[in-house]
């Protein structure tokens, strides 16, 4: 009955039928060719010629039993290539993949990725064939999903319309929400720093390297979270992999932190020595080697911490049922800014106590 | 001749034929069905039954003239649905879309997006049909491209293999390169701050709000660049739109900066008043209203600057022939950190001169 409706009417009807938004039920079309096992190729082709006009695709012919239950899918090419007297039962290979009508479109995308088919049949909970989904619908779903993920990873709500078409007010709203959330989070840096005001007053040189250190943590964190979010979206990494990922990121964080730490130590020491030799002044004070040591170790710690929290946050979010893409670069950076600052000043207290502090 | 090769041999052969990597030529398959205008449906179906076995898709039948030039594409469904005696010339609609063999795969993706086809024919520079590309190949291209963009936007080189499969050394290398570049850039913050050391010593309170202000610029910048990069990748925004985008982002930057500025002023003032009333101290000094004013105006300036540079950088990169996705969130954040710091201290000098500075 649903096949008699126009696409517009059909969209309304399927939504009334109770398929939730984002489900395969909303994406499928009920126009397909279903045949029986005991038909010949000639009968199938005659049937197609008579009833195939409305079918979304004629690439696949579906084989159903007497109660409409899907028992196989056969490519049309088989019917085009086999002798006209062959029977469907001789052609079918008894293996098929199908989507369930209540599956999410994301899950469907993973099935398409796995089977690499131009179309997949959709069955209800009794296994009865109710529709098909084609891979060009999937291309749209894949691109929409990537866009949503990318926008969330950029630190905003996903826009529901293209940039040039969305209203100014809608766009600013979607961006302002997260910007304010991040701002409120980042306010903790001011609170944290207020606790280190005495130390700052005694060793003002610490302030010079603060942006450098906390941003390095943010950068390494956003790399790690980006990698995880995309790998999860593509199904390359699942929740169960968290332990392997953590081990890998622990090593990566140490390696990356080590590289930046060495550069940091070289930067501080070199500049101090150049300044002493050519300008006869000590930009980082008499205890510059302690400054250099603090910067170096802080970099290792902050980058390691950024890498670990950036890679684990998507797992935590997914475990809680949230979208991993919410752990955007700005979100991770804000988190790491606050904690990185505490790491930096704690290390400074430890290393400089009795000399500069 | 090329059809006689195995897929592996064919890949080598096509690369020898000089189709550059990432071109349609590398993606296409030479297995297709080509027919002539004066054939009947029966003749086409007989031809398919005899020679169609190797064709990648039988969904489309291509109509060529005597010299092999593509003159139309007809869906197989037409042949399945029309009377067996109809002629190809009666069925063809004289309109078709085709890819060129030297087109890039990105361009091909845009053509697929536009025409929503399951397959597209590929012609050489003389219009001769040389192959076809199917939409499931395109799904792979689209996802690979999104992955590359996402990884670049996360502030690293695109990994060429899935996260779980790439070697540890390769992965660390891809991440370290950008991390070091960003680190070297961020070092400019230490240099810039060294110039404001006297001011910092006099008004240490300025240091408290530094991470808050520069990170807000970075966050708004990464939102703007993310939006532009994705809109460009989908073809929603082109180089010519830069002026419209700039106008839009100018307004968005003012609106977003205004929102954060107001929150910043409220935060400083409220905390000062609460501290005075209940704890009898002045956390931000006697001139706290100047501090609050500086923080508020600096937020507007830095967010506006972040939004503008974040949105324009992808245009500049594309104009220079680089990949817009290189203007990642961390890259924009680093750029805005350095400039945001200068904006903040310059404003402080302007507003606090004669009182605190």
């Amino acid at each position: 009955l649903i096949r008699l409706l126009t696409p517009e009417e059909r969209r309304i009807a399927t939504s009334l039928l109770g398929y939730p938004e984002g489900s395969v039920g909303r994406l499928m079309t009920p126009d397909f060719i279903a045949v029986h096992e005991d038909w010949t190729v000639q009968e199938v082709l005659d049937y197609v010629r008579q009833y195939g006009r409305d079918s979304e695709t004629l690439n696949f012919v579906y084989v159903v039993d007497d109660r409409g239950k899907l028992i196989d899918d056969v490519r049309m090419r088989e019917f085009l290539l086999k002798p006209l007297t062959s029977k469907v039962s001789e052609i079918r290979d008894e293996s098929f993949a199908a989507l369930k009508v209540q599956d999410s479109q994301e899950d469907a995308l993973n099935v398409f990725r796995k089977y690499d088919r131009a179309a997949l049949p959709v069955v209800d909970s009794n296994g009865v064939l109710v529709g098909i989904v084609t891979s060009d619908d999937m291309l749209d779903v894949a691109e929409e999903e990537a866009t949503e993920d990318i926008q969330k990873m950029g630190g905003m709500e996903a826009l529901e319309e293209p940039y040039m078409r969305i209203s100014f007010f809608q766009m600013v709203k979607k961006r302002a929400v997260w910007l304010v959330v991040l701002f409120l989070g980042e306010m903790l840096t001011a609170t944290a720093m207020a606790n280190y005001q005495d130390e700052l007053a005694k060793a003002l040189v610490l302030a010079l390297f603060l942006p450098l250190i906390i941003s390095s943590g943010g950068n390494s964190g956003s790399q790690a979270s980006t990698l995880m979010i995309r790998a999860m979206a593509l199904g390359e990494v699942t929740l169960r992999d968290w332990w392997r990922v953590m081990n890998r990121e622990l090593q990566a964080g140490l390696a990356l932190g080590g590289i930046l730490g060495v550069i940091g130590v070289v930067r501080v020491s070199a500049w101090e020595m150049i300044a002493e030799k050519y300008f006869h002044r000590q930009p980082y004070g008499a205890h510059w080697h302690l400054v250099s040591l603090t910067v170096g170790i802080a970099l290792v710690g902050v980058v390691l911490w950024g890498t670990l929290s950036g890679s684990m946050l998507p797992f935590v979010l997914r475990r809680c049922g949230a979208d991993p893409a919410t752990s955007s670069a700005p979100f991770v950076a804000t988190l790491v800014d606050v904690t990185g600052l505490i790491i930096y000043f704690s290390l400074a207290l430890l290393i400089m106590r009795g000399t500069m502090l």
Side-chain angles (χ1 to χ4, degrees), chain A:
Chain A
L1 184 68
I2 214 163
R3 293 187 211 176
L4 300 171
L5 305 173
T6 66
E8 184 53 35
E9 291 167 335
R10 187 186 294 158
R11 200 169 315 127
I12 297 163
T14 52
S15 77
L16 286 177
L17 279 174
Y19 300 133
E21 204 168 321
S23 75
V24 168
R26 289 287 187 96
L27 205 63
M28 70 181 186
T29 152
D31 298 323
F32 53 82
I33 297 287
V35 302
H36 291 280
E37 272 203 292
D38 52 350
W39 293 12
T40 63
V41 170
Q42 182 70 63
E43 282 175 303
V44 170
L45 291 180
D46 288 347
Y47 179 81
V48 168
R49 200 170 307 279
Q50 201 167 354
Y51 299 105
R53 187 146 304 277
D54 293 322
S55 179
E56 165 111 354
T57 176
L58 294 179
N59 308 341
F60 277 92
V61 168
Y62 299 97
V63 187
V64 294
D65 68 10
D66 294 339
R67 282 168 304 177
K69 211 173 140 180
L70 179 68
I71 55 174
D72 213 341
D73 58 351
V74 182
R75 285 170 202 269
M76 178 61 86
R77 61 182 302 140
E78 301 298 331
F79 297 107
L80 289 170
L81 299 171
K82 287 272 158 57
L84 292 170
T85 50
S86 306
K87 285 217 161 195
V88 172
S89 52
E90 298 164 34
I91 294 175
R92 58 171 286 218
D93 62 357
E94 314 217 348
S95 94
F96 65 94
L99 303 171
K100 293 207 182 65
V101 73
Q102 68 273 35
D103 281 354
S104 74
Q105 294 177 4
E106 282 101 324
D107 293 341
L109 194 56
N110 287 329
V111 179
F112 266 93
R113 281 188 190 117
K114 195 167 150 195
Y115 292 99
D116 221 357
R117 288 282 173 104
L120 279 172
V122 182
V123 296
D124 68 12
S125 49
N126 300 317
V128 171
L129 180 62
V130 290
I132 59 165
V133 172
T134 56
S135 72
D136 42 316
D137 298 328
M138 275 299 130
L139 187 59
D140 298 341
V141 172
E143 298 222 309
E144 255 170 55
E145 281 203 7
T147 302
E148 270 180 33
D149 274 8
I150 286 173
Q151 290 177 346
K152 283 187 193 160
M153 288 160 80
M156 77 197 90
E157 298 274 306
L159 307 186
E160 269 130 38
E161 284 171 82
Y163 175 80
M164 287 307 221
R165 257 188 280 153
I166 195 169
S167 78
F168 180 75
F169 179 74
Q170 275 295 321
M171 181 187 67
V172 168
K173 209 178 80 181
K174 299 251 177 211
R175 289 160 72 167
V177 171
W178 263 103
L179 218 49
V180 168
V181 169
L182 294 171
F183 186 73
L184 295 177
E186 192 77 26
M187 273 185 180
L188 292 174
T189 58
T191 314
M193 277 185 81
N195 290 320
Y196 298 110
Q197 248 174 322
D198 293 344
E199 286 78 17
L200 260 184
K202 281 187 225 158
L204 198 63
V205 65
L206 285 177
L208 298 190
F209 298 103
L210 184 65
L212 179 63
I213 285 166
I214 61 180
S215 77
S216 298
N219 290 343
S220 54
S222 80
Q223 284 188 343
S225 74
T226 303
L227 275 178
M228 281 313 113
I229 294 167
R230 187 60 182 166
M232 280 184 174
L234 292 179
E236 291 168 10
V237 165
T238 61
L239 269 183
R240 273 169 307 166
D241 295 316
W242 76 271
W243 179 248
R244 277 177 64 199
V245 169
M246 199 172 88
N247 271 313
R248 208 158 195 227
E249 289 302 307
L250 192 75
Q251 295 170 50
L254 280 173
L256 295 170
I259 295 171
L260 294 197
V262 168
I263 300 178
V265 168
V266 169
R267 158 72 166 77
V268 173
S269 315
W271 181 237
E272 179 73 31
M273 286 190 268
I274 291 169
E276 276 184 31
K277 182 153 183 184
Y278 297 103
F279 308 108
H280 306 290
R281 56 191 192 82
Q282 288 191 312
Y284 307 134
H287 297 290
W288 63 266
H289 52 281
L290 291 184
V291 175
S292 145
L293 190 67
T294 306
V295 168
I297 298 181
L299 278 168
V300 178
V302 169
V303 169
L304 178 61
W305 168 245
T307 307
L308 281 181
S309 47
S311 59
M312 288 299 112
L313 207 59
F315 285 92
V316 174
L317 286 171
R318 170 156 286 188
R319 187 71 194 76
C320 300
D323 184 349
T326 315
S327 57
S328 58
F331 182 70
V332 172
T334 298
L335 185 81
V336 177
D337 274 359
V338 181
T339 43
L341 195 147
I342 295 171
I343 295 176
Y344 177 45
F345 279 107
S346 307
L347 275 171
L349 273 172
L350 209 69
I351 293 171
M352 299 179 168
R353 179 158 300 172
T355 50
M356 295 174 75
L357 297 179

